[in-house]
């Protein structure tokens, strides 16, 4: 008898497999299944249309009927009463479950809720807080989510006035019958295109309410009776969802042909498709995925409305996607296979002796191969299932390996991308924002991979969407150590980049005109002053104020006034040279900054005057503002600059004074700043002399403002400088710190104040009630970069004998404008001794997250300019929420300045988890005795 060789074993196994197939049941007729939609046919339900049209349901053995929803149709009731097998619901399903309805959530069809509120600005609504006590229209599906949003935004329950939404047009809103109405982000915003500035869209996510959108559900009884059918329907529906999001135009044509009961246009449906994709985010989250943590957040939201208890048990509510019980036919098939294998084993034992010698010869080779295979399997398992993009690239730029995560992220199957160059597939030729040549970057990486161990760049998915990835690159050598390729591991940082860009836009650009605002202008002006000092060329600041703008607002309304401001912004940008800046300071005030003028002051003045005349001529042209024809003029003040001898604030003041002189001269004119305006400059000169004498006399001291946690406990103080003037009494820092910075006197003042701060910490350390307090001290950029700064700080701490971790040095983002490496090095020396660092006035500078990550910070302080309007300005509220979230992501303690109302305290501490606050709500700056008294009183 011959040995059983590998080919013969394969024949036997194939024969056994054929016998197993004979045991399988024959195909049955399709199972009739129905699904109840929550609303009328639209792209929102494209998953079902695509699954039906593409045959996914038919392949799963299902005959599916899609039941249209509409007003008065309760999808949950239809499913629970047996009129439908499946339904589309919302996050409110968890409330239905608590109330006794046996619903089970199968899959999240939208990762974020499309629910929002739409308001008309002309009805007096500028933020969500303007809805307090006013009628807000909501339908039954959205009522709970909207109520949770209004509560989270700080509106008392008694002042929430929800009315039934019966009108799904814009009529009730236009007539002012309701202050706001519920809309779907995928639908109604299409109607207001071109008029967005007239409306306000308010989303629950801005207040931390992030619920699921559409959710596929069934009942527990259906799952128990038909587990295979439920699993098949869910899988086919999610397959349809993926197809619909990847082929929106095809599915839109399908809706227009079969499901367009609402009569929507193709353009409207494509708009809806784009919005649904943003709410579903299949590029980030696996379609259908349900996070238990997100559902726990949903429970907490509804518990806040007393809809269900906060500890409601979610067991059985979230569908278990694990495989069902083994079908009945499988054991029989396995039994047949076992019998067949038993016969095969008998034959194997008979030839065992003949094969023994061959086995011994192959034993060592088999062990080596097995070890290699196990190592390869472990490696592949690690790489394929890594929660990161992993790919390998040859030195010619072609992809040689592409893991599963990369497939999901970029949208390519491995076999589609292998062998193709990265540029043009997953790397665009140029970055969209910066226009950086990415083809050149890739060539540089391929030529010198050792120089690019880390890089961040824009990438591109298969459907053309731009994403940002942070890459870690490692050279792959051959057996001789020569590079043969590059291993690249990538992390998606798109959302972080978008968050950074959103914060930058909110903080640095005017919402109406999209021009740079005062913050960004000041930053650019600081840079222009530095550049002017280096190249010795003049610059000029043109301060522009529209004449009689108030009259236009009063006679035609703010909407027409806004149109004029937008048109003025466009005209100013159109008549500027490349490199010049246009900004809006607020109201009807604009500023133009000119750089690179002549080195001669007379020639530079002539160039600036030509620009001013051009601006005046441009702004005098007739404006067509809707139905209103308007003529406008402007008064322009001009101030020249050439170096840093004149600071930013002083330069703006000079241009402003010149503008008022132009207005006094009869308007529609321009004026230069002249010596007659030097009174303020002379006053500053006198102040400088008094500051120098104050340093010699030691007239500077501290007042301290409490810093408290969410419970109101005082954990520290900020030391605020005061000047005890022999004639004027106490002088606030705003009157002398700026001049001290410009003249360099801040270094001597800072040394004096640092010594006082350390002595105060020593005094408090000796008292049990105050020994826990930290002291935050502002450090100017000029003081920080002084050669002896580090030694001076350490010497004062040692002399006072206090714990270094009691001292918090507050720095501003202006430190980052100069040598960042030197800044980090100095901070690390001080931090090694125990001193902590806080970045003060965060958001008012011009730093990036890349710089922030390099700094050894402990704390982030939100500037009072963002806090003061969070109750009325949705932009400031969103910025503060983003700053708290960003600080916590970076592992920093977050402190909010300027907290003056209970509403601000609630929003920051309770809604968004701000760690500490300071402001007049907790106490004004007081001498050290007042702090000690406050601590004793609290105890």
């Amino acid at each position: 008898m011959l040995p059983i060789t590998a080919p013969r074993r394969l024949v036997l196994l194939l024969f056994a497999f054929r016998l197993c197939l004979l045991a399988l049941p024959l195909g049955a007729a399709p199972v009739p299944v129905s699904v109840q939609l929550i609303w009328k046919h639209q792209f929102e339900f494209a998953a079902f249309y695509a699954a039906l049209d593409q045959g996914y349901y038919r392949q799963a053995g299902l005959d599916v009927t899609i039941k249209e929803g509409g007003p008065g149709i309760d999808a949950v009731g239809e499913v629970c009463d047996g009129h439908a097998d499946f339904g589309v619901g919302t996050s409110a399903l968890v409330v239905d479950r608590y109330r006794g309805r046996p619903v089970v959530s199968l899959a999240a069809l939208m990762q974020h809720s499309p629910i929002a509120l739409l308001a008309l600005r002309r009805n007096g609504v500028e933020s969500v807080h303007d809805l307090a006590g006013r009628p807000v229209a909501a339908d039954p599906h959205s009522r709970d989510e909207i109520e949770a949003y209004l509560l989270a935004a700080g509106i008392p329950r008694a002042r929430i006035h929800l009315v039934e939404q019966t009108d799904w047009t814009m009529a009730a809103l236009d007539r002012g019958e309701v202050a706001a109405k519920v809309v779907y982000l995928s639908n109604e915003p299409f109607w207001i295109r071109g008029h967005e500035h007239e409306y306000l869209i308010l989303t629950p996510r801005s207040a931390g309410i992030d619920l699921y959108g559409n959710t596929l559900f069934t009942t527990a009884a259906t799952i128990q009776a038909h587990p295979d059918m439920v699993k098949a329907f869910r899988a086919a529906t999610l397959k349809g969802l993926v197809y619909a999001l990847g082929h929106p135009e095809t599915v839109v044509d399908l809706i227009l042909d079969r499901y367009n009961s609402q009569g929507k246009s193709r353009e409207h449906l494509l708009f809806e498709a784009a919005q649904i994709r943003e709410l579903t985010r299949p590029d980030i989250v696996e379609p259908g995925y349900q996070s238990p943590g997100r559902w726990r957040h949903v429970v907490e939201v509804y518990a806040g409305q007393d809809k269900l208890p906060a500890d409601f048990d979610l067991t059985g509510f979230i569908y278990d996607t694990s495989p069902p019980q083994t079908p009945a036919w499988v054991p029989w098939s396995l039994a047949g296979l076992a019998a067949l294998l038993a016969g095969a084993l008998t034959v194997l034992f008979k030839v065992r002796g003949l094969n023994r010698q061959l086995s011994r010869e192959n034993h060592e080779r088999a062990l080596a191969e097995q070890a290699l295979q196990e190592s390869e399997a472990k490696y592949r398992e690690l790489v394929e299932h890594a929660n990161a993009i992993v790919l390998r690239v040859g030195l010619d730029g072609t992809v040689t390996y592409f893991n599963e995560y990369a497939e999901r992220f970029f949208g390519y199957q491995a076999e589609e991308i292998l062998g193709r160059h990265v540029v043009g597939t997953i790397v665009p030729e140029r970055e969209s924002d910066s226009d950086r040549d990415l083809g050149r970057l890739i060539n540089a990486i391929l030529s010198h991979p050792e120089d690019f161990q880390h890089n961040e760049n824009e990438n591109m998915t298969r459907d053309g969407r731009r994403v940002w990835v942070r890459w870690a690159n490692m050279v792959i050598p051959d057996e001789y150590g020569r590079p043969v390729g590059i291993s690249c591991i990538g992390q998606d940082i798109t959302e972080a980049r978008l968050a950074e860009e959103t914060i930058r836009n909110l903080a640095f650009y005017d919402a109406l005109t999209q021009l740079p605002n005062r913050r960004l202008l000041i930053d650019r002006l600081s840079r222009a002053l530095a550049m002017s000092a280096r190249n010795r060329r003049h610059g000029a600041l043109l301060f522009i104020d529209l004449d009689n703008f108030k009259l236009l607002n009063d006679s035609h309304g703010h909407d027409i006034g806004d149109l004029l401001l937008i048109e003025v912004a466009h005209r100013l940008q159109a008549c500027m040279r490349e490199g010049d800046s246009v900004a809006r300071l607020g109201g009807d005030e604009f500023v133009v900054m000119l750089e690179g003028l002549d080195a001669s002051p007379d020639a530079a003045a002539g160039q600036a005057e030509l620009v001013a005349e051009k601006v005046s001529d441009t702004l005098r042209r007739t404006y067509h503002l809707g139905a209103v024809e308007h003529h406008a003029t402007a008064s322009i003040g001009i101030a020249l600059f050439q170096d840093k001898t004149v600071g930013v604030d002083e330069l703006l003041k000079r241009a402003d004074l010149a503008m008022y002189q132009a207005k006094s001269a009869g308007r529609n004119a321009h004026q230069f700043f002249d010596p007659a305006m030097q009174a303020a400059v002379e006053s500053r000169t006198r102040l400088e002399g008094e500051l120098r004498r104050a340093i010699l006399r030691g007239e500077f001291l501290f007042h301290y403002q409490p810093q408290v946690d969410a419970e109101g406990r005082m954990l520290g103080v900020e030391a605020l400088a005061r000047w005890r003037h022999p004639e004027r009494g106490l002088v606030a820092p705003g009157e002398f710190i700026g001049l001290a910075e410009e003249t360099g006197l801040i270094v001597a003042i800072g040394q004096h104040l640092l010594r006082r701060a350390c002595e105060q910490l020593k005094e408090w350390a000796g008292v049990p009630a105050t020994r826990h307090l930290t002291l935050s001290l502002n450090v100017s950029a000029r003081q920080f970069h002084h050669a002896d700064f580090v030694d001076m700080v350490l010497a004062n701490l040692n002399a006072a004998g206090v714990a270094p971790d009691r001292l918090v040095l507050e720095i501003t983002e202006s430190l980052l404008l100069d040598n960042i490496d030197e800044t980090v090095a100095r901070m690390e020396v001080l931090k090694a001794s125990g001193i902590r660092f806080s970045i003060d006035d965060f958001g008012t500078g011009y730093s990036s997250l890349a710089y922030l990550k390099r700094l050894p910070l402990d704390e982030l302080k939100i500037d009072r300019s963002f806090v003061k309007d969070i109750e009325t300005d949705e932009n400031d509220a969103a910025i503060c929420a983003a700053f708290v979230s960003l600080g916590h992501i970076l592992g920093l303690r977050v402190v909010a300045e300027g907290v003056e109302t209970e509403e601000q305290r609630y929003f920051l501490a309770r809604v968004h988890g701000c760690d500490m606050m300071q402001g007049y709500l907790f106490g004004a700056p007081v001498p050290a005795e007042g702090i000690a008294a406050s601590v004793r009183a609290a105890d």
Side-chain angles (χ1 to χ4, degrees), residues 842 860-864 866-867 880 883-884 894-897:
F842 181 72
L860 180 153
K861 296 192 76 173
I862 303 175
D863 185 65
R864 66 182 67 250
F866 295 112
V867 173
C880 287
F883 284 170
V884 174
V894 180
V895 181
E897 296 181 305

Side-chain angles (χ1 to χ4, degrees), residues 679-841:
V681 176
E682 294 172 359
S683 174
R684 289 165 64 85
T685 303
R686 287 194 300 272
L687 184 62
E688 180 180 348
E690 292 176 344
L691 277 176
R692 294 184 184 279
R693 288 189 291 273
I695 294 171
L696 296 175
R697 298 169 182 170
E699 294 174 354
F700 298 99
L701 50 87
F702 280 130
H703 278 193
Y704 304 90
Q705 188 169 36
Q707 295 178 331
V708 305
D709 63 11
E711 305 302 326
R713 295 185 293 264
M714 191 190 307
L715 301 182
V717 297
E718 181 177 1
L720 302 170
R722 297 291 186 268
W723 176 11
R724 184 181 285 117
H725 195 281
E727 298 173 3
R728 297 163 57 191
L730 280 181
V731 179
E735 296 184 40
F736 66 90
I737 289 295
L739 181 60
E741 287 270 11
E742 293 173 14
T743 58
L745 296 176
I746 193 66
V747 175
I749 295 174
Q751 290 175 344
H752 173 76
L753 292 175
L754 177 63
R755 184 168 59 254
R756 278 186 173 268
C758 293
E759 291 170 355
Q760 186 60 61
L761 280 173
K762 178 180 181 181
E763 180 179 338
W764 280 340
V767 180
T770 56
R771 65 174 49 146
H772 69 285
L773 294 178
T774 61
L775 188 150
S776 297
L777 179 64
N778 284 280
V779 177
S780 74
R782 192 158 187 170
Q783 182 183 4
F784 185 91
H785 289 298
H786 192 272
D788 298 327
F789 176 73
V790 173
D791 292 337
M792 179 184 66
V793 173
L794 296 177
N796 277 281
L797 280 172
N798 291 334
V802 297
D805 64 351
R806 298 291 90 191
L807 179 63
V808 180
L809 297 181
E810 294 187 1
I811 63 174
T812 63
E813 293 174 79
S814 60
L815 277 176
L816 308 180
L817 295 177
D818 293 318
N819 191 331
I820 183 65
D821 294 325
E822 179 192 346
T823 299
V824 172
R826 288 183 172 224
M827 291 177 68
E828 287 177 343
V829 171
L830 292 172
K831 189 171 177 64
S833 71
I835 296 170
R836 292 187 280 178
F837 282 92
S838 172
I839 185 159
D840 195 19
D841 300 335

Side-chain angles (χ1 to χ4, degrees), residues 147-411:
E147 183 183 30
Y149 168 38
L150 298 178
L151 287 171
I155 298 179
R157 191 185 299 272
R159 302 209 64 199
I160 296 176
H161 181 30
L162 298 181
V163 299
E164 184 177 357
Q165 178 158 300
T166 56
D167 177 11
W168 286 92
T169 68
M170 309 291 284
L173 194 63
D174 291 338
R175 291 192 299 266
E177 296 173 4
V178 294
K181 62 166 288 180
V182 165
V183 295
Y184 280 66
L185 293 172
S186 56
N187 190 44
E188 283 83 355
F190 177 81
W191 300 341
I192 64 173
R193 292 177 307 159
H195 300 278
E196 291 90 346
H197 63 281
E198 301 175 14
Y199 292 86
L200 190 67
I201 295 179
L202 305 166
T203 60
R205 273 195 282 172
S206 66
I209 304 300
D210 189 11
L211 306 187
Y212 282 119
N214 286 353
T215 304
L216 180 64
F217 74 94
T218 187
T219 63
T222 301
I223 295 175
Q224 185 174 7
H226 309 288
D228 294 335
M229 181 268 284
V230 172
K231 181 178 179 180
F233 181 82
R234 178 184 184 273
T237 301
L238 294 179
K239 193 173 180 181
L241 176 62
V242 172
Y243 180 88
L245 296 177
H247 304 82
E249 295 195 356
T250 302
V251 177
V252 164
D253 290 337
L254 175 64
I255 295 173
L256 290 171
D257 184 46
R258 301 183 192 175
Y259 300 102
N260 195 19
S261 58
Q262 299 191 67
K264 292 186 176 182
S265 67
R266 178 180 178 82
E267 186 181 12
H268 192 162
L269 288 169
L270 287 173
F271 172 85
E272 184 181 354
Q275 302 307 310
I276 294 297
R277 182 178 180 85
E278 286 302 310
L279 295 168
T280 306
R281 298 311 302 267
D283 53 325
I284 296 177
V285 181
E286 180 183 359
Y289 176 69
Q290 301 184 95
S291 165
R294 282 283 300 285
W295 274 115
R296 178 53 55 192
H297 166 70
V298 173
V299 170
E300 292 170 355
V301 169
Y302 287 129
Q305 301 172 264
D306 299 326
K307 305 288 184 185
L308 76 173
D311 59 351
F312 176 63
D313 188 2
L314 290 170
T315 303
F317 172 69
I318 305 174
Y319 178 64
D320 184 2
T321 58
S322 59
Q325 298 266 334
T326 304
W329 56 266
V330 172
W332 292 101
S333 301
L334 292 177
L337 179 61
L340 188 62
L341 291 176
L345 286 173
T346 302
V347 176
L348 288 174
F349 278 120
K350 290 182 180 180
V351 299
R352 182 178 179 185
L354 296 174
N355 286 335
R356 188 171 298 162
Q357 183 177 357
L358 179 62
S359 298
R360 280 196 302 268
E361 293 174 357
N362 291 332
H363 180 65
E364 289 186 4
R365 177 180 295 177
L367 288 177
E369 289 180 353
Q370 180 180 1
L372 181 61
Q373 290 171 358
E374 289 177 354
S375 175
E376 175 74 10
K378 289 179 180 178
Y379 171 77
R380 286 194 173 275
E381 180 180 7
L382 175 65
V383 173
E384 288 294 343
H385 296 90
N387 190 29
I389 305 164
V390 181
L391 55 91
R392 287 198 295 268
V393 181
L395 294 182
D396 60 352
T398 58
V399 179
T400 60
Y401 177 77
F402 209 67
N403 78 335
E404 289 183 7
Y405 190 96
E407 291 181 330
R408 294 194 300 272
F409 183 77
F410 288 110

